[in-house]
């Protein structure tokens, strides 16, 4: 029953109704004694409001409760990135014992390496991740079926200055799905899109 409650909470979170999501997460936590999902949700609310230090405060509590929670560790590194604390963010992602977290965020790690002056390693990370996402597309994996691979490819190509490719994949996302709330919020602050953020075409896509 607690799992069902948390899943209902996740649905509300996906569409950005955080007060309802919190209600279900709290009910689930009461049954399981695991409050990490509640802290995680509070961190998202603070992150989307732009209060990254407060978000990190909640994420530290969540990670302390469940150090193997992919969302908690991932969001902690994200908030540190958005605050410009690149070294700390890199340590969080690279020191995680969650196998898939480095794989899914290799391009994010590349972004951090670039800003830490390790440009050769950064480009290698981007190139490797492009290959990973292209494989996901070719094999029809879940990551591409949910259009996360296309989103991330657009982000990578934007950062690399390959605008035509960036828009090609952004168009695939915008024309094929109704983006979940997290993606809508993410694209507005995603640093990998800084090269095209002020362009009219990009602004039209994120409206």
């Amino acid at each position: 029953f607690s799992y069902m409650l948390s899943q209902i909470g996740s649905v509300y979170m996906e569409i950005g109704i955080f007060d309802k999501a919190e209600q279900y997460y709290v009910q689930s936590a009461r049954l399981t004694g695991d409050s990490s999902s509640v802290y995680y949700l509070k961190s998202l609310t603070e992150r989307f409001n732009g209060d990254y230090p407060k978000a990190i405060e909640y994420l530290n509590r969540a990670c302390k409760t469940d150090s193997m929670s992919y969302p908690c560790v991932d969001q902690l590194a994200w908030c540190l990135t958005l605050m410009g604390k690149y070294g700390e963010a890199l340590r969080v992602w690279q020191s995680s014992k969650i196998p898939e977290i480095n794989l899914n965020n290799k391009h994010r790690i590349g972004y951090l390496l670039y800003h830490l002056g390790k440009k050769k390693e950064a480009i290698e990370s981007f190139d490797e991740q492009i290959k990973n996402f292209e494989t996901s597309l070719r094999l029809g994996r879940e990551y591409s079926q949910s259009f996360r691979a296309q989103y991330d490819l657009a982000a990578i190509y934007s950062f690399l200055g390959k605008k035509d490719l960036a828009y090609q994949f952004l168009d695939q996302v915008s024309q094929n799905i109704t983006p979940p709330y997290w993606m809508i919020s993410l694209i507005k602050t995603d640093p990998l899109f800084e090269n095209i953020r002020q362009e009219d075409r990009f602004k039209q896509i994120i409206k």
Side-chain angles (χ1 to χ4, degrees), residues 42-58:
K42 288 181 178 293
S43 77
L44 284 183
T45 302
E46 298 300 339
R47 175 189 160 187
F48 294 152
N49 288 333
D51 191 343
Y52 304 131
K54 190 68 175 178
I56 288 173
E57 180 183 326
Y58 283 123

Side-chain angles (χ1 to χ4, degrees), residues 11-194:
V11 171
Y12 278 113
M13 183 177 69
E14 283 284 305
I15 59 178
I17 305 177
F18 294 110
D19 54 343
K20 293 290 289 185
E22 185 171 354
Q23 290 178 26
Y24 284 97
Y25 280 145
V26 168
Q27 291 179 53
S28 177
R30 286 172 180 164
L31 293 174
T32 63
D34 179 5
S35 58
S36 62
S37 60
V38 178
Y39 289 133
Y40 172 68
L41 178 64
K42 288 181 178 293
S43 77
L44 284 183
T45 302
E46 298 300 339
R47 175 189 160 187
F48 294 152
N49 288 333
D51 191 343
Y52 304 131
K54 190 68 175 178
I56 288 173
E57 180 183 326
Y58 283 123
L59 286 165
N60 282 330
R61 293 185 190 180
C63 291
K64 186 176 181 180
T65 303
D66 183 3
S67 63
M68 292 298 289
S69 167
Y70 181 111
C72 294
V73 175
D74 189 50
Q75 286 300 314
L76 179 57
W78 251 109
C79 286
L80 290 167
T81 298
L82 293 172
M83 291 179 69
K85 297 185 176 183
Y86 303 131
E88 291 181 47
L90 184 63
R91 284 192 292 274
V92 169
W93 265 320
Q94 289 188 329
S95 65
S96 173
K97 296 179 182 179
I98 305 171
E100 65 270 25
I101 204 163
N102 276 329
L103 176 63
N104 290 344
N105 289 292
K106 195 169 290 293
H107 56 307
R108 304 293 173 186
I109 290 172
Y111 174 83
L112 298 174
L113 289 169
Y114 187 90
H115 284 283
L116 291 169
K118 300 179 179 181
K119 296 185 178 181
K120 182 175 182 294
E121 293 176 49
I123 297 302
E124 290 173 353
S125 291
F126 286 128
D127 288 343
E128 184 176 349
Q129 195 68 317
I130 288 171
K131 292 177 183 177
N132 290 337
F133 289 143
E134 286 177 343
T135 299
S136 179
L137 291 172
R138 187 173 66 254
L139 299 179
R141 291 173 177 164
E142 191 278 331
Y143 203 80
S144 62
Q145 291 178 10
S146 62
F147 286 86
R148 286 178 291 172
Q150 292 88 330
Y151 174 95
D152 285 331
L153 281 167
I156 293 170
Y157 285 126
S158 170
F159 183 79
L160 295 176
K162 299 180 179 181
K163 295 183 180 182
D164 288 344
L165 285 170
Y167 283 120
Q168 174 185 317
F169 285 105
L170 277 177
D171 287 342
Q172 288 182 29
V173 175
S174 64
Q175 293 170 8
N176 286 280
I177 63 168
T178 299
Y181 185 85
W182 66 262
M183 187 180 286
I184 296 171
S185 177
L186 173 62
I187 198 170
K188 292 178 180 178
T189 58
D190 193 334
L192 290 179
F193 286 110
E194 285 305 311

